[in-house]
Amino acid sequence: MLNRRRFLAALSVPMLMGTEWNTRRAWANPQVHGVEVEAPVGQEDLFAYIQRQNGRFDTDLYRKLLGAANEFKEGDAIVGVAAANEPSRAHARQLLANTRIADLLANPPWRDRLLVWNDTFINRDRLRDWEQRTVGELKDHLLASSAADIHQLMPGLSSDLIACLVRLMSNAELIRIGQTVFNPLAGSHLGDQGYLGARIQPNSPTDHVDDIRFQVFDAFAYAVGDVLLGTNPVSSDPQSVAAVELALQDILKTFELDHIIPHCVLSHIDVQVEVEQLHPGSTEFWFQSIAGNDQANATFDISVEKMARYAAERTGPFGLYLETGQGADFTNGHGHGCDMVLHESRKYGFARGMSHTIAAAKNIPPEQAWLHLNDVAGFIGPEVFRTREQLVRCCLEDIAMGKLHGLMIGLDVCSTLHMEVSLDDLDWCLEQIAPANPGYLMALPTKIDPMLGYLTTGYQDHVRLREKFGYRVDDRMWSFFKKLGVIDDQGKPTEHFGDPHWVYLQYRRCKQDPRTDQQILAESAQIVTEVRQRGVFIAEGYGRRPSELAPQLRSEIQTVYEDAKKCIWKEWDPDFIKRIPNALPLTTRSSDRNDYILHPTTGEHLSDESLIKVQEVRTRDQGKSDTALVISEGLNAYAMLDDGNLLPLLDALYPLLEKSGYHVASAPFVVNSGRVRAGYRIGEILFGGLTGSRTIVHLIGERPGTGHHTMSAYLTTADGATWRSPNKVDHNITKVVSGIGVTALTPDRAAQAIIAALSR
C-alpha cells in the first residue's frame, strides 16, 4: 500500500507547474447571455412591467425577473435567469422593491407540495400590517429594526418573501441581518451572538474507526468542537454505520459529554433509522440532505410526508440535522426555471416546518426544538459559482435567510478543487463571512477532507477566527477544554495545545487504563502513524502562532492541493483504454474538458454516435445480459490510470459477478467525459422494456484532493419498465461504494463490497 508520505514524494514539480498554467487558462470568463430588463416606468412593479411587456401575466418572465435581481452566479446563468448586465440587475431590483408583498404572496413562481407545507407554518397575522406595503419598504424596516422587532415579524415571513428580501440586500446589509438575528439552541449558546461553534467532521476514506476517533481527539487538542461530532460515511451498510455511531458515542460517554454534544453519521435518514432499530440508543441526531422542491427531494429519496413522520419521532433531547446548498436543485435536474436563492430559501422553510413538528411532538415551543441546518455552500462546483466573491455572497445570503426563518444555521464554507478558489482564497472568504456570525463552521484537521476531497475549514482556522473576531466556544465545552488541559483558566493555549496524544492519554485515563503514560503514548503514536498511512491528516503542534499549521503539514497540504488540480484536468489515455478487455469507447456531449467541468449536463448525455453504438450492443445481446459495466474517468482520470486501480478491480470483479449469478455484457462501456447519469442513459438503451431486473455498475474517478486517486462504483438496479422511462432512473435508487484505490479501499476488497451492496 502506498502511504501518504511516499505519495507526496512521488509528485513532480514541473508537472504541477504545467497543470497550474492549464487550469488558469481554462478559467477564461465565458460569454453569458442573460435576462435583459428595461428601466421601470415610474414606480412600476414586477407585475405592471410584465403586463407592459407581454400584455398578460407570464410566469416564465416572472421567474426570470426574480432571478435577474440576484447577484450573478453561474448556476442562475445556466438556468437562464441571471441578469445580462448590471443595469438589468438594477432594474430588476427596482421592480422587485416596488412590488407589494400581497402580490408576491399570491403569485408563487413554483407550486408544489413543499410550498403548501412551508406555508402551513406561516403566521400571516404577524405580517398583516405589511401586506399592502412593498418589499423594499420591508427590507429597509428590517435593516433599521432591533432583534426583538425582527423576531416579532419572522413567523409571518414566507420563504419566498425572505428570498426576495435577500435579493435586494448588499453584502453589508446581509451581514447586518446576521449580526442582529440569533436563534440559539435551547439550553446552550450554540448559535448565540458572539459564539462560533464547530461541527467536527472526522471523515475517513475507509470508515476506519481509528481514523475517526483520532480526528476527534485532534479537534479537542485545539479546543475545537461544540456543536456535533458528524461523520460522512463511505459505506451506508447499517452495520458499518452503527460501528461509527458507537465509536463516536464512546468518546462522548467516556469524557462525560454525551449530554452536551451529540454525534451523528450522515448516512441517509432511512439507514439511521434502521441502525437505531438494530442498536437502540446508538443514534442521536438524525441527518438528512434536503432540497427546495418535491422532485429534487425525490432524488434524495425523501418527501415532505417522510420527513414529517421522522420529525414527529424525534422526542429525545436531540432532533434533526439538515444539510442544504445552493444549486443542488437544478444540478439534479429540477430547477423548474427558478433561481437558486428561491430554492435555498424554501429548504429553510422545510426545516422550519420540521422544527415545528418536533416541537409539537414534545409539546414545547418551536424555538426549543433541537434542529439545526448546515449550508454546504460551494460543494457542488463551478456550475453553481466559480469565484471566491460568489462563495462569500452565497454564504451571506444563506446566513440571512436561515436566521430570518428562525433557524440555527451553520456553514460549510467550502470549495471543490475544480472551482477557482485556492487555499488562501478560502481564508479570505472566512474572514469576509465571519462578521455575519454564523452558528458554526465545519472543522477538520486541515482544510482538505480526506474522504470527500474538497476544501473546507481546518481546526486552526477556528483558532484564528476566535482570535481575530473574539468569538467564543459554547461555555460547557470551553469548561471541558480547560479540564482537559489544552487551555488554561485564562483561555490561553497550554503546553498540551495541539497534542492529540495528550488527549488520547486523558481518554484512556477516563477508561481507567492501568498502563503507564509512556505505554499509552507509544500506542497513540503507533495508531497515528497507521492513520496517516491510510491518507488521513492529523494536525500536531503549530507554526509561529497557535492558529497556523505546522510548516511541514502546510507544505503537504499544498502538494495535495496541486495534485488535485492535475487530476481534474487529466483525460483518458487512449493507450490505456486499449488495455481494458473488450472496451467499447463512448463519448458524451461535452466538447472538451472545459465544457465538461463548467457544464456538467453535457457529460450526462451520450453523443449521437455513442447512442448508436449502445443500441447496436443491445441488438447483438438480445436481452441475454442483465448487467453492464460502465467506466468513466469522471473528475479524476488518475484513479483509473494508476497501476493497481482499475485493471485489478476488473480482474477481481468479473469472476465475482459471474459467481453471484450476474450475466455481464462482454463489452464494458468506457465513456470519455462521463458523469454518473451517463450510466443511467446507457441503462435506458440497453435494458429499457426488457423483463426482469437489470443492473448498471458504473466505475467513475472521483474526489480529487483526498491525497488518493480513488474511484467509486455506482450500482443501479431496476426492472425493464423503469429503465424504459427516460430519466426515471436516478440517484435515489443507486447505491455507492466509494474510495476505491490501492491506497484506500483496495480493489480486491472493493469487488467484494460491490457484490455485497448489490445483494442487499
Side-chain angles (χ1 to χ4, degrees), residues 20 32 112 138 166 177 192 278 336 358 390 418 465 473 509 530 551 615 624 644 653 658 663 676 681 687 714 744 758:
E20 178 69 11
V32 176
D112 62 1
L138 180 57
V166 163
I177 294 296
D192 210 347
L278 293 171
H336 302 304
I358 293 170
Q390 290 181 47
H418 55 321
L465 294 173
V473 171
R509 288 286 171 251
E530 294 168 359
Q615 182 61 53
K624 296 176 183 177
L653 184 57
E658 183 178 353
H663 302 284
V676 174
R681 307 292 82 81
F687 301 141
Y714 286 79
L758 286 171

Side-chain angles (χ1 to χ4, degrees), residues 196 201 374-379 385 388 390-396 399 410-416 419 421-423 425-434 438 440-444 447 454-458 461-462 465:
L196 180 64
Q201 184 172 297
N374 170 34
D375 165 38
V376 187
F379 185 70
F385 48 80
R388 66 180 194 171
Q390 290 181 47
L391 175 55
V392 167
R393 174 69 188 188
C394 179
C395 290
L396 294 178
I399 291 170
L411 293 176
D412 193 345
V413 184
C414 62
S415 69
T416 59
M419 289 172 63
V421 178
S422 69
L423 292 166
D425 286 336
L426 211 57
D427 284 343
W428 179 87
C429 291
L430 288 170
E431 297 195 1
Q432 306 307 305
I433 294 161
Y440 61 98
L441 301 172
M442 297 301 100
L444 290 88
K447 279 186 169 65
Y454 75 122
L455 305 182
T456 184
T457 315
D461 293 321
H462 281 266
L465 294 173

Side-chain angles (χ1 to χ4, degrees), residues 292-402:
N293 62 73
D294 291 346
Q295 290 175 292
N297 274 315
T299 66
F300 295 143
D301 194 21
I302 62 170
S303 64
V304 168
E305 292 75 18
K306 175 186 281 192
M307 293 305 297
R309 184 173 69 253
Y310 284 146
E313 296 177 17
R314 308 306 293 141
T315 54
F318 305 111
L320 291 173
Y321 171 42
L322 306 172
E323 192 169 86
T324 73
Q326 287 196 34
D329 309 274
F330 90 82
T331 56
N332 276 312
H334 304 297
H336 302 304
C338 298
D339 63 279
M340 298 190 297
V341 165
L342 174 81
H343 288 303
E344 187 70 11
S345 191
R346 289 191 178 186
K347 295 166 199 174
Y348 303 156
F350 194 7
R352 175 168 60 183
M354 283 184 265
S355 182
H356 279 257
T357 304
I358 293 170
K362 298 178 66 173
N363 196 28
I364 59 174
E367 61 271 15
Q368 292 184 16
W370 260 61
L371 176 148
H372 62 74
L373 184 144
N374 170 34
D375 165 38
V376 187
F379 185 70
I380 297 175
E383 64 267 36
V384 176
F385 48 80
R386 286 166 51 187
T387 68
R388 66 180 194 171
E389 290 78 12
Q390 290 181 47
L391 175 55
V392 167
R393 174 69 188 188
C394 179
C395 290
L396 294 178
E397 289 169 347
D398 295 349
I399 291 170
M401 289 192 293

